[in-house]
Amino acid sequence: EHLIPYISLREQFHPTHEAMETEKIIVINRNNVRYAIIADKIIGEFQAVVKPLGGYFEQQRFLSGAGVYGDGSVVLLLDTERLKELITTSKQ
């Protein structure tokens, strides 16, 4: 019943790439503030230990850390608070 501000990861980070036929919407509700992130796909939900990023990634505004899956592969984690800031400043 309410409009939710959103950000498309494709439009923000790869605006020249052609859109997928279907996209996924992730609605985040933090401290009674709702916003959405639109992604190409959702891989799944995992529990992981979050590690801070080293010096090579200091300048990456939208990464909050890294996680290690059970098989040893590393995944970078988006900073959803920074994405929310981007949403609220660009939609005003």
Side-chain angles (χ1 to χ4, degrees):
E1 297 179 12
H2 301 282
L3 296 176
I4 299 173
Y6 69 90
I7 185 169
S8 167
L9 296 178
R10 175 178 293 283
E11 289 177 15
Q12 183 63 39
F13 298 111
H14 293 288
T16 58
H17 286 74
E18 191 172 314
M20 302 288 287
E21 189 172 310
T22 60
E23 297 173 310
K24 304 296 181 188
I25 298 175
I26 304 151
V27 177
I28 298 172
N29 186 2
R30 185 173 292 141
N31 299 325
N32 292 319
V33 176
R34 290 170 41 128
Y35 56 99
I37 298 171
I38 300 174
D40 291 344
K41 64 181 176 177
I42 298 172
I43 297 172
E45 186 175 322
F46 300 92
Q47 290 187 6
V49 175
V50 178
K51 300 286 187 181
L53 296 170
Y56 290 110
F57 294 96
E58 286 179 332
Q59 302 302 316
Q60 300 299 319
R61 290 182 26 193
F62 300 107
L63 296 177
S64 62
V68 180
Y69 288 142
D71 68 358
S73 59
V74 176
V75 61
L76 297 174
L77 306 172
L78 286 174
D79 186 336
T80 57
E81 281 298 308
R82 289 274 176 114
L83 288 172
K84 181 182 79 171
E85 291 171 10
L86 188 62
I87 293 167
T88 56
T89 57
S90 67
K91 302 291 182 190
Q92 292 179 354

